[in-house]
Amino acid sequence: MHPAYKLMIIAWVAVAIWVGIVIMINKKVHPRALFALFMVELWERFSYYGMRTILILYLTSELVKGGFGYDDGKAYGIYGAYGALVYLTPILGGWFADKMMGFRKAILWGALLMAAGQFTLFLNNEVTFYIGLALLVIGNGFFKPNISSMIGKFYPEGDPRRDGAFTIFYMGINIGAFLTPLTCGAIGEIEGWKWGFFAAGVGMMLGYFIFLIAQARGWFENYGLRPEEEMKPVVKGVKNSWLPYVFSLLMVPIAWFLINQNDIVDILLAILAVVILGFLIYQSFGYETVQKHRIWVVVILLLFTTVFWTFFELAGSAMNIFTERNVNKNLLGMNFTTTFFQSVNPLFIMIFAPIFSWMWIKLGKSGKEPAAPYKFGTGLVLLGLGFLVMTLGKGYAVAGLVPAMFLIFLYLLHTLGELTLSPVGLSLVTKLAPVKIVAFLMGIWFLSSSIAHQAGKHIAKLTTVSEAKIMEEQAFKENIADPYLLSQLETEGFRGQLESSPVEKALVSDSFLQQLNENSQDRRYAKKTIQIEELKAEADAITQPDLRQKMLEDSKRSFLVYADDLGNQDELISALNANQMAEATLTGSVLSSLRGQSLMKGLSVFQNLGFIAVGCGLLLFLLGPIITRWMHGIK
């Protein structure tokens, strides 16, 4: 069995035990419906994060590895537009649920669309890829706002259990997010990306069936069956109950087009944000003073939440690529994959969510619970500190690689910030919103995440590095001790190879070796291949021939060296010694210089993000008294 699968099994067993403990502790405090919806959301998030974990790596992966081979900028554009639309469509999905469907039908329809999207991605070609993303976008619109709104129905206004319930629910979200890098991520990296998408689709179907079972057993009582306020027929001769399904089919080509031409989404989101927020403020004047002020609070906190998610959601794009290229993934003597680190944040959520749930209930009963603006301000400060801690890793970087502990500490601070802001925000909307527009306001709340993903695209592009451009910089040239090698790296022949393969492969290609040795007057160059002892041992233990052969190939490393230093080919060497050997080769000097420049660029961007986030948090503390007054007793 592959070591990644062993880790996956351990994680699943540990999570099963943990979930059992949480349910046992809380089953007398909360209704059964919470735990059913908890499990449904767990599997939906498993599906969503399963796809998100591998999306950016899939898009940038070489064609021979099953990816599309897109450059970073194009991949960030697709990722950002997909994420923006995923969190934009809940506005429409919430409206359909409020006016035509009811929560339950919206949740079930959304689940089916998302499962179809994952299975479409499994087909693994560019046409079906965009169709799959479109189905996921539309399905999420029906699912996401309505399952959160449905939970709020089981807790009347003023119920001290409400924040605790949403925190437990939020833990379900992150259990799914924790398991998926270790499951879909591992399957995708080992068996092929498309199988990661397939696993995500299976997870979504499990969530669908759990909802049906809970509904059949009457756990949801009478909540979510019908809209709060049904509309008159919108289209003459067509039942309102049909319109959501017709709308879904019409939206597929539109979502496909917007993801493909993602720069258009920038303009659409800017216009939509101004129109929706303007309309919401205008509508607020139709309510009495208390409700009017509460709507204003939602709008203000929405702006700060957008800043938080814009920076936080870089985890799936820029941070994912940064981890791939600039983080030393050797931790406690083990080499971890890039997707593994996507499980760190949700793991911390699982650990700390019950503590935060208990803390909010305890503080609420004692009258010491801080108001929402102070919780939000704390979340932003912690987010900023996470980025600033990451920049400290520059002093400990070796060959352009930051120790993994700095990345883990960043995720820890981001997690604590997330727990003070996100579940509280979901609960706050259900408490502040007028009854007739709860789902609609919940959809608007998710607008912050929509804008965040699209804005995050532009921030992620600031961290993008072109290997060819870095090699033109003086700082890179100063780190290459062999002037002849440097001159050959600047030739059109080598630069042409960089368009289709990374530097590491281009350096040991037959054509470049021939070029080096044909023009060299002094020294001869060669390719040295070694095999990692630990990886070979793992491969030898695999019984499946195809997987074993793939792992044996992955256990080999090739470097550019002087012919005099060639030594034994295919020699077996430990991972630690292999890393030390790699740094001493010509390949090592080139890659070290590249990573060093890439690292400096990435950390510079992260530092600026840290200062901005901390500044926003402190501003929210200053505005706290005014915002709290407008909440009229709600915390």
Side-chain angles (χ1 to χ4, degrees):
M1 180 183 292
H2 194 285
Y5 291 151
K6 293 179 182 178
L7 181 61
M8 178 182 72
I9 292 172
I10 293 171
W12 276 93
V13 171
V15 163
I17 295 172
W18 180 249
V19 169
I21 292 172
V22 171
I23 292 175
M24 289 297 295
I25 292 173
N26 291 277
K27 68 178 183 179
K28 293 183 179 180
V29 179
H30 298 282
R32 287 180 296 182
L34 171 66
F35 303 111
L37 295 173
F38 165 94
M39 293 301 297
V40 174
E41 180 70 358
L42 184 157
W43 283 110
E44 186 274 332
R45 290 290 88 183
F46 175 90
S47 173
Y48 170 76
Y49 282 104
M51 181 269 195
R52 196 197 82 158
T53 295
I54 61 178
L55 178 59
I56 203 77
L57 300 174
Y58 171 59
L59 292 173
T60 56
S61 180
E62 299 170 68
L63 293 173
V64 294
K65 294 184 178 180
F68 290 161
Y70 292 162
D71 61 57
D72 291 357
K74 183 173 182 178
Y76 288 148
I78 293 171
Y79 179 91
Y82 164 74
L85 294 175
V86 155
Y87 284 98
L88 182 61
T89 50
I91 297 175
L92 293 172
W95 184 82
F96 276 121
D98 277 338
K99 304 298 182 182
M100 299 180 185
M101 303 178 76
F103 295 145
R104 296 196 197 181
K105 288 182 180 178
I107 291 168
L108 288 171
W109 178 236
L112 285 176
L113 286 173
M114 286 189 285
Q118 300 285 14
F119 293 134
T120 304
L121 292 178
F122 168 71
L123 299 177
N124 196 33
N125 67 71
E126 290 193 65
V127 175
T128 56
F129 170 74
Y130 287 105
I131 294 175
L133 291 186
L135 290 170
L136 286 168
V137 162
I138 299 162
N140 185 80
F142 285 98
F143 186 99
K144 190 66 178 174
N146 298 307
I147 193 166
S148 300
S149 298
M150 193 166 172
I151 286 178
K153 295 297 180 183
F154 293 90
Y155 299 91
E157 185 174 332
D159 191 328
R161 302 175 302 163
R162 180 184 284 258
D163 277 5
F166 272 93
T167 302
I168 290 174
F169 177 71
Y170 202 69
M171 186 180 71
I173 292 174
N174 285 278
I175 288 175
F178 165 70
L179 291 173
T180 196
L182 304 176
T183 307
C184 301
I187 291 172
E189 288 194 80
I190 297 168
E191 309 295 344
W193 300 116
K194 67 175 186 177
W195 292 105
F197 297 131
F198 182 84
V202 171
M204 189 67 257
M205 289 306 299
L206 286 173
Y208 174 80
F209 288 121
I210 289 172
F211 191 95
L212 287 179
I213 292 170
Q215 180 174 257
R217 293 183 176 180
W219 290 4
F220 300 142
E221 302 174 26
N222 293 320
Y223 296 119
L225 286 172
R226 286 173 293 277
E228 293 288 343
E229 182 183 6
E230 294 195 50
M231 296 179 65
K232 295 179 180 179
V234 176
V235 180
K236 188 175 181 179
V238 179
K239 293 181 179 179
N240 278 356
S241 59
W242 295 356
L243 290 181
Y245 307 105
V246 175
F247 166 82
S248 300
L249 295 177
L250 294 176
M251 277 297 296
V252 171
I254 295 174
W256 177 1
F257 173 76
L258 291 175
I259 294 171
N260 202 353
Q261 304 296 322
N262 49 77
D263 287 339
I264 298 175
V265 180
D266 289 329
I267 302 170
L268 293 179
L269 271 181
I271 295 172
L272 189 63
V274 172
V275 170
I276 287 180
L277 293 181
F279 174 76
L280 188 58
I281 293 172
Y282 171 77
Q283 286 287 96
S284 71
F285 287 97
Y287 290 92
E288 46 88 20
T289 302
V290 172
Q291 286 292 354
K292 176 175 64 177
H293 285 169
R294 287 176 176 176
I295 292 174
W296 291 357
V297 170
V298 172
V299 172
I300 293 171
L301 293 181
L302 181 66
L303 298 177
F304 285 95
T305 301
T306 302
V307 174
F308 182 92
W309 290 120
T310 297
F311 296 175
F312 184 91
E313 288 295 345
L314 294 173
S317 57
M319 289 301 302
N320 211 1
I321 296 296
F322 181 83
T323 303
E324 169 77 10
R325 298 171 181 170
N326 289 111
V327 173
N328 182 350
K329 292 177 279 294
N330 187 290
L331 188 65
L332 302 176
M334 298 176 61
N335 281 304
F336 291 96
T337 62
T338 299
T339 55
F340 166 82
F341 290 92
Q342 290 290 299
S343 67
V344 174
N345 164 252
L347 174 61
F348 285 141
I349 290 284
M350 290 167 53
I351 294 172
F352 291 106
I355 298 173
F356 272 72
S357 176
W358 170 84
M359 181 178 69
W360 295 141
I361 293 175
K362 194 75 173 177
L363 290 173
K365 288 181 178 179
S366 64
K368 297 179 180 179
E369 182 182 7
Y374 300 110
K375 294 178 181 178
F376 279 52
T378 301
L380 281 161
V381 170
L382 289 168
L383 176 77
L385 291 177
F387 284 117
L388 295 177
V389 164
M390 189 69 192
T391 62
L392 297 178
K394 177 173 60 177
Y396 297 88
V398 176
L401 298 176
V402 173
M405 287 306 299
F406 286 93
L407 180 65
I408 291 174
F409 198 28
L410 173 144
Y411 282 133
L412 172 61
L413 290 170
H414 283 196
T415 299
L416 298 178
E418 184 183 3
L419 281 170
T420 63
L421 183 145
S422 187
V424 174
L426 293 174
S427 175
L428 188 68
V429 172
T430 63
K431 289 187 285 186
L432 293 175
V435 174
K436 295 181 180 179
I437 59 169
V438 171
F440 179 63
L441 262 184
M442 186 65 75
I444 291 177
W445 187 256
F446 287 119
L447 178 65
S448 65
S449 291
S450 176
I451 296 172
H453 276 82
Q454 193 65 12
K457 171 187 77 172
H458 299 289
I459 295 175
K461 285 183 177 180
L462 295 176
T463 67
T464 297
V465 293
S466 165
E467 292 180 332
K469 288 184 178 180
I470 288 180
M471 294 172 72
E472 294 174 358
E473 297 175 1
Q474 188 60 34
F476 169 82
K477 296 177 181 179
E478 291 174 353
N479 288 323
I480 305 300
D482 185 337
Y484 170 71
L485 173 61
L486 179 60
S487 69
Q488 297 304 301
L489 295 176
E490 295 174 340
T491 61
E492 291 185 8
F494 183 78
R495 295 300 172 87
Q497 289 191 57
L498 295 183
E499 295 178 3
S500 58
S501 63
V503 169
E504 188 170 3
K505 286 191 175 181
L507 286 171
V508 293
S509 66
D510 292 339
S511 59
F512 186 59
L513 280 170
Q514 183 179 355
Q515 174 185 323
L516 281 173
N517 289 320
E518 280 181 354
N519 300 320
S520 175
Q521 300 296 321
D522 302 317
R523 310 190 72 166
R524 304 289 294 175
Y525 297 81
K527 177 173 72 172
K528 180 178 179 62
T529 301
I530 62 170
Q531 192 166 30
I532 310 298
E533 185 177 7
E534 294 87 343
L535 297 181
K536 183 180 183 300
E538 292 172 1
D540 289 338
I542 302 297
T543 56
Q544 302 98 311
D546 292 343
L547 179 57
R548 180 176 180 275
Q549 185 59 37
K550 180 179 182 298
M551 289 186 64
L552 284 173
E553 290 300 318
D554 290 343
S555 71
K556 296 180 180 181
R557 301 286 186 272
S558 295
F559 313 109
L560 179 67
V561 298
Y562 294 120
D564 295 341
D565 301 330
L566 187 58
N568 297 324
Q569 289 283 56
D570 294 321
E571 64 179 286
L572 204 58
I573 190 169
S574 70
L576 178 61
N577 290 334
N579 289 334
Q580 293 173 347
M581 175 185 290
E583 294 303 325
T585 65
L586 295 172
T587 292
S589 66
V590 173
L591 294 182
S592 178
S593 184
L594 281 172
R595 287 196 299 258
Q597 299 306 307
S598 170
L599 176 67
M600 296 300 291
K601 187 171 186 179
L603 292 183
S604 175
V605 174
F606 298 151
Q607 182 177 11
N608 291 334
L609 296 181
F611 287 133
I612 293 171
V614 170
C616 288
L618 295 177
L619 176 60
L620 202 45
F621 273 99
L622 294 175
L623 296 174
I626 298 174
I627 298 174
T628 302
R629 191 160 57 248
W630 284 350
M631 293 171 69
H632 295 280
I634 287 179
K635 289 189 173 182

